[in-house]
């Protein structure tokens, strides 16, 4: 999956100054199947723009730590409190893990200034999955990184996204996960100096055969800016085929080397954010002797506009706007005058969603963008209605703390 498919954010107004330190609260309840899930960890993890994430991974940096983590109580309930950072809004994602469940994440990106009731979310029961990683001669490989992506049970909760779990093989090459799904698991393994491997559609349990990592080949070339001649220094590059290689960073001269790539047909992806993006399909690995790949970036697209009241035309500020393309998610908040902007967008159709607590959620199913196009899209929001009432028991006495 490319950065284009994962998404990268350049969002005007994503972080806004606040006069005082504020704290938002996200409340909800987690179920394990149909029963309350006790002891599930609910974490707020800093939102990391995917281009920044890819560059961090290319440099071998560690993933950011959770802002805060709480555990669900006996009734499965939780309250996640996130304070702003020195008076500035924090963006984060919400993940569920542990407690005997398949890990999962809530879709979208949340703010430290939001206080919302997330309602009930049902997780599937986690199952064991174990196996072994070996080299081409059958010898066990210690220290290999194994990742498991177990799909949530859509029948239980269609609103959850999968979370990738990570394990490291022991001295005998073995690994173990406790949070696999009954079916549809995706397993991948890699180790420095060897080409990675990926298996899909697995079931929980013990694997019958080891995951075998074989020697790979080096792939090199250069990336140019959209003018066709200037080097794209710092562009991130990788190959995506049966497995995806690690991201590498192009040097000052635009040259790059992917040290270990699997043989076969792959797509070469180069992403330089504001400077452009390009893909080349059907790259045959290994390359011909002495050959290198030369790619020229395409100019990125942009989407700008204003969020306004549909009836009055007046600006509506601080609206959360999300763009979706496949698994790509980008987010921004409109400024006090309603203005918003997304830049460095790869070409393609983007689904646009806008949400503000006082207004009806707004969606545009597909906004097409050509390479290099700057498009304007104003978002008209309809003020929502309110409904109030009182909950009573059979004796018509008020019931405190009722939810539904």
């Amino acid at each position: 999956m490319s950065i284009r498919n994962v998404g990268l954010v350049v969002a005007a107004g994503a972080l806004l100054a606040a006069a005082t330190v504020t704290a938002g609260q996200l409340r909800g309840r987690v179920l394990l199947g149909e029963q309350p899930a006790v002891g599930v960890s609910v974490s707020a993890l800093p939102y990391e723009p995917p281009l920044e994430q890819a560059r961090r991974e290319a440099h071998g940096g560690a993933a950011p730590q959770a802002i805060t983590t709480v555990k669900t109580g006996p009734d499965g309930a939780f309250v996640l409190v996130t304070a702003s950072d020195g008076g500035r809004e924090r963006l984060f994602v919400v993940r569920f893990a542990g407690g005997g469940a398949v890990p999962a994440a809530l879709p979208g990106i949340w703010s430290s200034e939001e206080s919302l009731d997330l309602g009930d979310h049902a997780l599937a029961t986690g199952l064991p999955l174990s196996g072994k990683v070996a080299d081409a001669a059958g010898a066990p490989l210690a220290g290999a990184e194994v990742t498991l992506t177990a799909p949530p049970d859509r029948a239980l909760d269609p609103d959850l996204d999968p979370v990738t779990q990570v394990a490291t093989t022991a001295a005998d090459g073995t690994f173990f996960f406790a949070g696999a799904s009954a079916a549809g698991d995706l397993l991948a393994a890699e180790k420095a100096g060897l080409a990675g491997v990926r298996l899909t559609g697995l079931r929980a349990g013990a694997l019958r055969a080891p995951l075998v990592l074989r020697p790979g080949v080096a792939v090199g070339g250069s990336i140019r800016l959209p003018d066709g001649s200037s080097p794209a220094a710092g562009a991130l590059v990788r190959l995506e085929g049966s497995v995806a290689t690690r991201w590498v960073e192009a040097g000052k001269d635009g040259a790059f080397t992917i040290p270990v790539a699997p043989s076969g047909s792959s797509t070469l992806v180069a992403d330089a954010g504001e400077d452009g993006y390009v893909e080349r399909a059907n790259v045959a690995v290994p390359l011909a002797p002495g050959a290198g790949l030369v790619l020229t970036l395409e100019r990125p697209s942009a989407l700008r506009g204003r969020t306004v009241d549909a009836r009055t035309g007046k600006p509506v500020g601080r609206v959360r706007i999300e763009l979706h393309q496949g698994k790509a998610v980008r987010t921004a908040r409109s400024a006090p005058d309603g203005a918003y902007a997304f830049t460095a967008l790869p070409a393609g159709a983007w689904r646009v969603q806008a949400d503000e607590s006082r207004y009806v959620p707004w969606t545009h199913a597909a906004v097409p963008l050509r390479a290099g196009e700057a498009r304007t899209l104003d978002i008209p929001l309809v003020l929502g209605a309110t409904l109030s009432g009182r909950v009573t028991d059979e004796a018509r006495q008020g019931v405190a703390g009722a939810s539904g």
Side-chain angles (χ1 to χ4, degrees):
M1 183 183 299
S2 65
I3 293 181
R4 176 180 181 177
N5 291 333
V6 173
L8 53 101
V9 175
V10 181
L15 298 175
L16 301 176
T20 58
V21 175
T22 58
Q25 291 188 0
L26 297 183
R27 298 173 177 268
R29 192 167 70 120
V30 181
L31 305 176
L32 195 58
E34 297 181 354
Q35 301 299 317
V38 182
V40 171
S41 294
V42 185
S43 299
L45 296 164
Y47 172 71
E48 191 177 19
L51 189 62
E52 293 181 13
Q53 177 183 343
R55 198 172 304 281
R56 170 181 58 75
E57 292 174 351
H59 293 168
Q65 297 298 307
I67 298 170
T68 185
T69 298
V70 298
K71 288 188 179 293
T72 56
D75 59 353
F78 67 88
V79 179
L80 194 63
V81 179
T82 54
S84 58
D85 182 13
R88 298 182 68 83
E89 179 185 39
R90 277 178 167 175
L91 300 180
F92 60 90
V93 295
V94 177
R95 291 183 181 174
F96 306 117
V102 176
L106 288 176
I109 298 163
W110 307 87
S111 164
S112 60
E113 298 183 359
E114 292 180 302
S115 291
L116 297 170
D117 187 340
L118 302 176
D120 290 358
H121 288 282
L123 304 178
T125 300
L127 300 171
L129 189 151
S130 61
K132 183 177 181 179
V133 179
D135 63 17
L141 285 174
E145 181 180 278
V146 185
T147 58
L148 169 66
T149 305
D153 189 335
R154 300 294 184 187
L156 286 175
D157 193 328
D159 297 328
L160 296 178
D161 290 335
V163 167
T164 298
Q165 306 165 59
V166 182
T168 302
T169 56
D172 61 355
T174 59
F175 62 87
F176 176 81
F177 293 97
S181 291
D185 294 309
L186 186 156
L187 200 63
E190 63 177 26
K191 184 176 173 64
L194 297 171
V197 65
R198 183 178 68 167
L199 299 177
T200 60
L202 299 178
R203 293 180 176 274
L207 298 182
R208 295 182 178 179
L211 282 73
V212 178
L213 302 186
R214 305 179 186 279
V217 295
V219 174
S222 62
I223 308 297
R224 298 172 179 169
L225 292 175
D227 63 13
S229 58
S230 302
L236 293 168
V237 188
R238 77 173 178 182
L239 281 165
E240 300 172 357
S242 57
V243 295
T245 66
R246 293 264 179 167
W247 292 100
V248 298
E249 192 173 55
K252 292 182 179 179
D253 59 355
F256 70 89
T257 299
I258 298 171
V260 182
S263 299
S265 180
S266 298
T267 296
L268 186 69
V269 178
D271 198 326
E274 296 278 358
D275 288 331
Y277 175 94
V278 70
E279 292 183 2
R280 178 180 292 180
N282 302 317
V283 174
V285 178
L287 305 179
L293 298 167
V294 179
L295 277 75
T296 299
L297 298 171
E298 296 179 348
R299 297 188 185 278
S301 304
L303 183 66
R304 296 180 172 86
R306 296 172 67 241
T307 51
V308 299
D309 186 291
R311 185 178 65 84
T312 66
K314 292 182 178 180
V316 180
R318 294 198 50 75
V319 176
R320 184 172 69 188
I321 306 163
E322 290 186 359
L323 269 58
H324 297 256
Q325 186 185 82
K327 293 185 178 180
V329 180
R330 307 194 184 188
T331 188
R333 280 193 184 275
S334 59
D337 63 354
Y340 74 89
F342 291 91
T343 59
L345 294 173
W350 292 83
R351 185 173 83 253
V352 184
Q353 297 177 182
D355 186 44
E356 206 278 347
S357 59
R358 298 168 298 167
Y359 290 81
V360 177
W362 182 93
T363 300
H364 192 303
V367 177
L369 291 174
R370 299 185 301 273
E373 178 184 10
R375 182 165 179 172
T376 299
L377 177 70
D378 289 340
I379 298 175
L381 299 173
V382 176
L383 194 64
T386 60
L387 178 66
S388 62
R390 182 169 179 260
V391 178
T392 64
D393 59 19
E394 293 180 350
R396 297 193 176 184
Q397 298 298 310
V399 178
S403 64

